[in-house]
Amino acid sequence: MQNETLTITDNRTGKTYTLPLYKGAVRAIDLRQIKTGPEDFGLLSYDPAFLNTAACQSAITYLDGERGILRYRGYPIEQLAEKCSFLEVAYLLLNGELPDPAELDAWSGEVTRHTMIHENLKKFMEGFHYNAHPMAILMTTVAALSTLYPEARNIHDPEVRRLQIIRLLGKMPTLAAYSYRHSLGLPYVYPDNDFGYTRNFLNMLWKRTEPKYSANPVLARALEVLFILHADHEQNCSTNAMRAVGSSFADPYATTAAAIAALSGPLHGGANEEVLRMLDEIGSKDRVPAYIAQIKAGHGKLMGFGHRVYKNYDPRARIIKRVADEVFEVTGRNPKLDIALELERIALEDDFFVKRKLYPNVDFYSGIIYQAVGFTPDMFTVLFAIPRTVGWLAQWQEMLQDPEQKIARPRQLYTGQPVRERVPETAATLA
Ligand SMILES: CC(C)(COP(=O)(O)OP(=O)(O)OC[C@H]1O[C@@H](n2cnc3c(N)ncnc32)[C@H](O)[C@@H]1OP(=O)(O)O)[C@@H](O)C(=O)NCCC(=O)NCCS
């Protein structure tokens, strides 16, 4: 049996401490006993941007960034992407097991029943400026859902929680499609419960005057796979936002809106939109070397490259590359793919990128597919938010059931002024 402890000597005092390890980690709170004297608050750990801090324990997603492994509830992402529907994966993430056929049927029925949104919300959306970013509309309308379901505040009741989870999963594609159609000035299309999750979404996006919209099955399946790949990714920026905001016991709509806000940034979900802009800026394959030289000289970043935890090829990017081939068979080849492939080829051979372990991430190819399917770049992050909602909700639920969790409240190292007097008094305060 290994000795699962850590011995630390404080060179300021010469004292030695033996701390227990928990699942291979030291508990930061155990450092607090390390003091230079009775007045000392105790040792803190300092970790800006959580580079080496586990903020929770989780049984949902396993990620090994060094080896390029991603699993949901133990199942390799490659198998789930090949063999499952998005709603099966959603069930798995939320409940820990894949559903049997009867469970899947019941689950799909429940989610489908909640795809409609209240007419008030539709009116609310109509008030947005004509060129409002769809991600901003989505974030705001998800927050507005809490005005319609006040009982959602009762987050400690498992049945209430379950109902809000189903509502959010059901309504997310509807809100996303309405955001999109709003930005194009098109009338909203009501959900059609004859369709599955992604086909219904495509229906609400693209239906015009035809009595029944029929999505291309290859494109619908491609979107389904992309949804599966984006469903969860353990403790990323938006999931951390979900857990942090949820830890104050805010309702799930406010909490999900906070996660959407985090996802909207260009360093997180907004990256695939940036990839497309970058490929447009490069313009042609022959200009790739000059663009890479510019990045190496410190002007900007290669969007869609690099990851906080993957220091190897992102396994999702590998699957997406395959999906891209299937999509392009239907839509015709997106010319940006050639620029992207050339960027990848040169970057993977270049010492600058190799040394820093910078590989294409999930966003590098997803935008090219989305564009080929017919989406404008400002919809890309919305397409990320729909499936990630299930991951956020699974993590939120897990956080609420974890007896060790409390309101998230980090410490700081104060670097400001010491106490000082406000002298002399000004004329304004004397008056
Ligand atoms: C994802 C990301 C935010 C991770 O950041 P991080 O873990 O903080 O990594 P760092 O910024 O510490 O990067 C380490 C080094 O690689 C460089 N680097 C990281 N990503 C880079 C990129 N995309 N292009 C060029 N250089 C990059 C950094 O400048 C740094 O170089 P240095 O050591 O010389 O200072 C970052 O890689 C990035 O901004 N990528 C582009 C945006 C993107 O695709 N985001 C989607 C993520 S799914």
Side-chain angles (χ1 to χ4, degrees), residues 266-268 271 295 301-308 311 352-353 356 358 361-363:
L267 294 189
H268 191 11
I295 301 280
K301 281 185 173 174
L302 198 53
M303 296 315 287
F305 258 70
H307 199 276
R308 171 60 59 79
K311 301 302 171 195
F352 177 94
F353 296 92
R356 291 172 175 78
L358 299 171
N361 59 48
V362 69
D363 295 311

Short mmCIF file of all heavy atoms in Angstrom, two decimals, residues 266-268 271 295 301-308 311 352-353 356 358 361-363, ligand 1:
data_model
loop_
_atom_site.label_atom_id
_atom_site.label_comp_id
_atom_site.label_asym_id
_atom_site.label_seq_id
_atom_site.Cartn_x
_atom_site.Cartn_y
_atom_site.Cartn_z
N PRO A 266 -14.34 34.73 -27.72
CA PRO A 266 -13.55 34.16 -28.80
C PRO A 266 -12.49 33.15 -28.37
O PRO A 266 -12.00 32.37 -29.18
CB PRO A 266 -12.89 35.38 -29.47
CG PRO A 266 -12.95 36.46 -28.45
CD PRO A 266 -14.16 36.19 -27.59
N LEU A 267 -12.14 33.13 -27.08
CA LEU A 267 -11.17 32.12 -26.65
C LEU A 267 -11.85 30.80 -26.30
O LEU A 267 -11.20 29.80 -26.03
CB LEU A 267 -10.38 32.61 -25.43
CG LEU A 267 -9.47 33.81 -25.65
CD1 LEU A 267 -8.60 34.05 -24.44
CD2 LEU A 267 -8.59 33.63 -26.89
N HIS A 268 -13.18 30.81 -26.30
CA HIS A 268 -13.93 29.58 -25.93
C HIS A 268 -14.80 29.21 -27.13
O HIS A 268 -14.27 28.92 -28.21
CB HIS A 268 -14.71 29.87 -24.65
CG HIS A 268 -15.33 28.69 -23.98
ND1 HIS A 268 -15.04 27.40 -24.33
CD2 HIS A 268 -16.24 28.61 -22.96
CE1 HIS A 268 -15.74 26.57 -23.56
NE2 HIS A 268 -16.48 27.29 -22.73
N ALA A 271 -14.52 30.66 -30.83
CA ALA A 271 -13.31 30.44 -31.65
C ALA A 271 -13.63 30.00 -33.07
O ALA A 271 -12.94 30.40 -34.01
CB ALA A 271 -12.41 29.43 -30.96
N ILE A 295 2.02 35.04 -37.29
CA ILE A 295 1.63 34.52 -35.96
C ILE A 295 2.89 34.27 -35.12
O ILE A 295 2.96 34.64 -33.95
CB ILE A 295 0.85 33.18 -36.09
CG1 ILE A 295 -0.42 33.37 -36.93
CG2 ILE A 295 0.56 32.55 -34.74
CD1 ILE A 295 -1.60 33.96 -36.23
N LYS A 301 -3.09 35.00 -32.78
CA LYS A 301 -3.03 33.55 -32.54
C LYS A 301 -3.63 32.84 -33.73
O LYS A 301 -4.47 33.40 -34.43
CB LYS A 301 -3.84 33.20 -31.30
CG LYS A 301 -3.09 33.49 -30.02
CD LYS A 301 -3.90 33.00 -28.84
CE LYS A 301 -3.09 33.13 -27.56
NZ LYS A 301 -3.91 32.79 -26.40
N LEU A 302 -3.21 31.61 -33.91
CA LEU A 302 -3.82 30.79 -34.95
C LEU A 302 -5.13 30.26 -34.35
O LEU A 302 -5.11 29.39 -33.47
CB LEU A 302 -2.86 29.65 -35.26
CG LEU A 302 -3.04 28.91 -36.58
CD1 LEU A 302 -3.09 29.88 -37.73
CD2 LEU A 302 -1.88 27.94 -36.77
N MET A 303 -6.26 30.80 -34.79
CA MET A 303 -7.53 30.43 -34.17
C MET A 303 -7.85 28.97 -34.51
O MET A 303 -7.55 28.50 -35.61
CB MET A 303 -8.66 31.36 -34.63
CG MET A 303 -8.47 32.80 -34.20
SD MET A 303 -7.97 33.03 -32.47
CE MET A 303 -9.46 32.65 -31.59
N GLY A 304 -8.45 28.27 -33.51
CA GLY A 304 -8.73 26.85 -33.72
C GLY A 304 -7.54 25.96 -33.44
O GLY A 304 -7.59 24.76 -33.65
N PHE A 305 -6.47 26.57 -32.94
CA PHE A 305 -5.28 25.79 -32.56
C PHE A 305 -5.02 26.00 -31.07
O PHE A 305 -5.22 27.09 -30.54
CB PHE A 305 -4.06 26.28 -33.34
CG PHE A 305 -3.70 25.39 -34.48
CD1 PHE A 305 -4.53 25.32 -35.59
CD2 PHE A 305 -2.57 24.59 -34.45
CE1 PHE A 305 -4.23 24.49 -36.65
CE2 PHE A 305 -2.25 23.76 -35.50
CZ PHE A 305 -3.09 23.70 -36.61
N GLY A 306 -4.53 24.95 -30.43
CA GLY A 306 -4.15 25.05 -29.03
C GLY A 306 -5.32 24.76 -28.13
O GLY A 306 -6.50 24.90 -28.51
N HIS A 307 -5.01 24.31 -26.94
CA HIS A 307 -6.04 23.98 -25.97
C HIS A 307 -5.40 23.94 -24.60
O HIS A 307 -4.26 23.53 -24.47
CB HIS A 307 -6.66 22.61 -26.31
CG HIS A 307 -7.99 22.41 -25.69
ND1 HIS A 307 -8.14 21.95 -24.41
CD2 HIS A 307 -9.24 22.62 -26.16
CE1 HIS A 307 -9.43 21.89 -24.13
NE2 HIS A 307 -10.12 22.30 -25.17
N ARG A 308 -6.18 24.35 -23.59
CA ARG A 308 -5.63 24.33 -22.23
C ARG A 308 -5.28 22.91 -21.81
O ARG A 308 -4.24 22.68 -21.17
CB ARG A 308 -6.64 24.96 -21.26
CG ARG A 308 -6.31 24.81 -19.79
CD ARG A 308 -4.97 25.45 -19.39
NE ARG A 308 -4.89 26.85 -19.67
CZ ARG A 308 -5.44 27.82 -18.94
NH1 ARG A 308 -6.11 27.54 -17.86
NH2 ARG A 308 -5.30 29.08 -19.28
N LYS A 311 -2.83 18.46 -25.22
CA LYS A 311 -1.48 18.75 -25.70
C LYS A 311 -1.16 17.69 -26.74
O LYS A 311 -0.03 17.24 -26.90
CB LYS A 311 -0.47 18.74 -24.53
CG LYS A 311 -0.82 19.77 -23.45
CD LYS A 311 -0.90 21.21 -23.99
CE LYS A 311 -1.46 22.18 -22.94
NZ LYS A 311 -1.89 23.47 -23.51
N PHE A 352 7.70 25.99 -33.89
CA PHE A 352 6.99 26.90 -32.99
C PHE A 352 5.75 26.21 -32.40
O PHE A 352 5.50 26.26 -31.20
CB PHE A 352 6.57 28.16 -33.77
CG PHE A 352 5.75 29.15 -32.97
CD1 PHE A 352 6.35 30.22 -32.32
CD2 PHE A 352 4.36 29.02 -32.88
CE1 PHE A 352 5.59 31.13 -31.59
CE2 PHE A 352 3.59 29.92 -32.15
CZ PHE A 352 4.21 30.97 -31.51
N PHE A 353 4.99 25.55 -33.27
CA PHE A 353 3.73 24.92 -32.84
C PHE A 353 4.00 23.58 -32.17
O PHE A 353 3.35 23.22 -31.20
CB PHE A 353 2.78 24.76 -34.04
CG PHE A 353 2.37 26.10 -34.61
CD1 PHE A 353 3.09 26.69 -35.64
CD2 PHE A 353 1.29 26.78 -34.10
CE1 PHE A 353 2.73 27.93 -36.15
CE2 PHE A 353 0.92 28.03 -34.59
CZ PHE A 353 1.65 28.60 -35.63
N ARG A 356 5.24 23.99 -28.58
CA ARG A 356 4.17 24.43 -27.67
C ARG A 356 3.00 23.45 -27.65
O ARG A 356 1.97 23.73 -27.03
CB ARG A 356 3.68 25.81 -28.08
CG ARG A 356 4.72 26.89 -27.82
CD ARG A 356 4.29 28.22 -28.42
NE ARG A 356 5.22 29.29 -28.09
CZ ARG A 356 6.38 29.49 -28.68
NH1 ARG A 356 6.78 28.68 -29.65
NH2 ARG A 356 7.17 30.48 -28.32
N LEU A 358 0.79 22.65 -29.93
CA LEU A 358 -0.42 23.29 -30.46
C LEU A 358 -0.95 22.47 -31.62
O LEU A 358 -0.32 22.37 -32.67
CB LEU A 358 -0.10 24.72 -30.92
CG LEU A 358 0.40 25.68 -29.83
CD1 LEU A 358 0.88 26.99 -30.43
CD2 LEU A 358 -0.68 25.93 -28.81
N ASN A 361 -7.92 22.18 -32.67
CA ASN A 361 -8.94 21.78 -31.70
C ASN A 361 -10.29 21.65 -32.40
O ASN A 361 -10.38 21.80 -33.62
CB ASN A 361 -8.98 22.78 -30.52
CG ASN A 361 -9.28 24.20 -30.98
OD1 ASN A 361 -10.20 24.42 -31.76
ND2 ASN A 361 -8.48 25.15 -30.52
N VAL A 362 -11.32 21.38 -31.62
CA VAL A 362 -12.65 21.09 -32.18
C VAL A 362 -13.17 22.21 -33.09
O VAL A 362 -13.92 21.98 -34.04
CB VAL A 362 -13.64 20.81 -31.02
CG1 VAL A 362 -13.93 22.06 -30.22
CG2 VAL A 362 -14.91 20.17 -31.49
N ASP A 363 -12.73 23.43 -32.82
CA ASP A 363 -13.26 24.57 -33.57
C ASP A 363 -12.61 24.76 -34.92
O ASP A 363 -13.11 25.54 -35.74
CB ASP A 363 -13.08 25.85 -32.75
CG ASP A 363 -13.89 25.81 -31.49
OD1 ASP A 363 -15.08 25.48 -31.59
OD2 ASP A 363 -13.34 26.07 -30.41
C1 LIG B 1 -7.27 27.66 -26.17
C2 LIG B 1 -6.26 28.62 -25.55
C3 LIG B 1 -7.04 29.81 -24.95
C4 LIG B 1 -5.51 27.90 -24.44
O1 LIG B 1 -4.71 28.84 -23.81
P1 LIG B 1 -3.67 28.51 -22.65
O2 LIG B 1 -3.87 27.15 -22.10
O3 LIG B 1 -3.74 29.64 -21.69
O4 LIG B 1 -2.30 28.45 -23.43
P2 LIG B 1 -1.19 29.56 -23.42
O5 LIG B 1 -1.79 30.87 -23.83
O6 LIG B 1 -0.45 29.50 -22.12
O7 LIG B 1 -0.27 29.03 -24.59
C5 LIG B 1 1.03 28.49 -24.44
C6 LIG B 1 1.92 29.05 -25.53
O8 LIG B 1 1.37 28.74 -26.82
C7 LIG B 1 1.03 29.94 -27.53
N1 LIG B 1 -0.27 29.72 -28.17
C8 LIG B 1 -1.36 29.15 -27.61
N2 LIG B 1 -2.35 29.05 -28.51
C9 LIG B 1 -1.87 29.57 -29.66
C10 LIG B 1 -2.41 29.75 -30.93
N3 LIG B 1 -3.66 29.36 -31.21
N4 LIG B 1 -1.65 30.32 -31.89
C11 LIG B 1 -0.39 30.71 -31.61
N5 LIG B 1 0.21 30.56 -30.42
C12 LIG B 1 -0.54 30.00 -29.44
C13 LIG B 1 0.95 31.04 -26.47
O9 LIG B 1 1.20 32.32 -27.03
C14 LIG B 1 2.03 30.57 -25.52
O10 LIG B 1 3.30 30.88 -26.10
P3 LIG B 1 4.54 31.35 -25.16
O11 LIG B 1 4.83 30.17 -24.29
O12 LIG B 1 5.61 31.69 -26.11
O13 LIG B 1 4.02 32.53 -24.39
C15 LIG B 1 -5.24 29.11 -26.62
O14 LIG B 1 -4.54 28.03 -27.16
C16 LIG B 1 -5.92 29.94 -27.70
O15 LIG B 1 -6.15 31.13 -27.51
N6 LIG B 1 -6.25 29.29 -28.89
C17 LIG B 1 -6.94 29.98 -29.95
C18 LIG B 1 -8.41 30.11 -29.61
C19 LIG B 1 -9.13 28.79 -29.73
O16 LIG B 1 -9.00 28.08 -30.71
N7 LIG B 1 -9.95 28.49 -28.70
C20 LIG B 1 -10.80 27.31 -28.73
C21 LIG B 1 -10.47 26.35 -27.67
S1 LIG B 1 -11.44 24.88 -27.85
#
